[in-house]
Amino acid sequence: MAPDTHPVLGVFASDRGPGDAERASIMSQVGSFLARRGARLVCLGDEGVPVPLITSARTAGGEVTLIAAEDYSEPSAFGGVVVEHIPDREDRLQRLAALSQLYVALPGSLASATSLYLTWVRGGGGAGRKPVVFYDHHDAFKVVRGYAADVISNSIRNHDRYVQFATNLDDMWNKISWLVDQGATAL
């Protein structure tokens, strides 16, 4: 990736449900890691706001946009975070899709997985679909990886330009960089 490239990543993460403490740690690590590399993050504030991701990215000097419901009231700690209030959930998903070059999925809840799926589907079918990099920390996406190998690989041509799995942060950044360099968002 060119040094002056600042990819816009739609990040799907949730801090709700079992395993909150570990997910908060993962979000903090990922937020600061991506921000230090110049990535701009776009997050949803639907089924819970990924506060650790946002605050760590901002602390590292990163740019963050939060797409939230009309009635969401952002905390004072979100200084410098652009918050777009959009009343309709469908419109929030479409806005995230419009802003993002590609998506990053972090281990989280079923709510964040559902939001990722709906955004991916609404991001366009076939060649208009944006790629996803799954952060497969401790096999969090083992089932999705199996699905990708068995189903997606047989139904989407060049599926590796749409679905990638990373087991550590450096691997995740390498895959994001490769997808941006490949121009995967324009496939």
Side-chain angles (χ1 to χ4, degrees):
M1 180 180 335
D4 60 342
T5 302
H6 299 283
V8 180
L9 310 175
V11 182
F12 292 85
S14 175
D15 61 356
R16 291 193 173 181
D20 289 346
E22 183 178 14
R23 280 199 301 260
S25 174
I26 290 169
M27 283 190 273
S28 293
Q29 292 170 8
V30 170
S32 61
F33 181 86
L34 293 174
R36 285 192 313 268
R37 279 153 184 78
R40 294 179 297 181
L41 309 182
V42 181
C43 306
L44 272 179
D46 267 354
E47 302 289 333
V49 176
V51 174
L53 176 82
I54 293 169
T55 55
S56 66
R58 287 295 303 138
T59 300
E63 294 179 39
V64 179
T65 300
L66 176 66
I67 310 296
E70 189 71 33
D71 61 351
Y72 177 73
S73 179
E74 53 271 11
S76 59
F78 276 18
V81 174
V82 175
V83 180
E84 295 186 18
H85 295 274
I86 300 174
D88 183 65
R89 182 168 194 253
E90 192 70 29
D91 292 340
R92 288 191 295 273
L93 297 174
Q94 290 178 3
R95 178 66 176 151
L96 186 135
L99 292 175
S100 304
Q101 286 179 273
L102 58 99
Y103 308 127
V104 173
L106 302 182
S109 68
L110 187 54
S112 62
T114 301
S115 294
L116 168 63
Y117 173 76
L118 292 173
T119 304
W120 197 61
V121 168
R122 281 148 178 84
R129 190 164 287 128
K130 294 180 183 182
V132 181
V133 177
F134 290 89
Y135 182 36
D136 197 19
H137 184 72
H138 294 308
D139 289 329
F141 292 107
K142 186 176 186 175
V143 171
V144 177
R145 188 184 284 246
Y147 178 80
D150 292 344
V151 177
I152 295 175
S153 65
N154 291 308
S155 59
I156 297 177
R157 195 170 146 231
N158 297 321
H159 74 282
D160 63 326
R161 292 186 179 185
Y162 298 106
V163 180
Q164 290 280 321
F165 295 88
T167 57
N168 61 60
L169 294 177
D170 289 323
D171 186 31
M172 181 173 63
W173 184 252
N174 289 339
K175 290 177 182 198
I176 290 168
S177 299
W178 179 78
L179 288 166
V180 169
D181 285 346
Q182 293 296 309
T185 58
L187 293 175

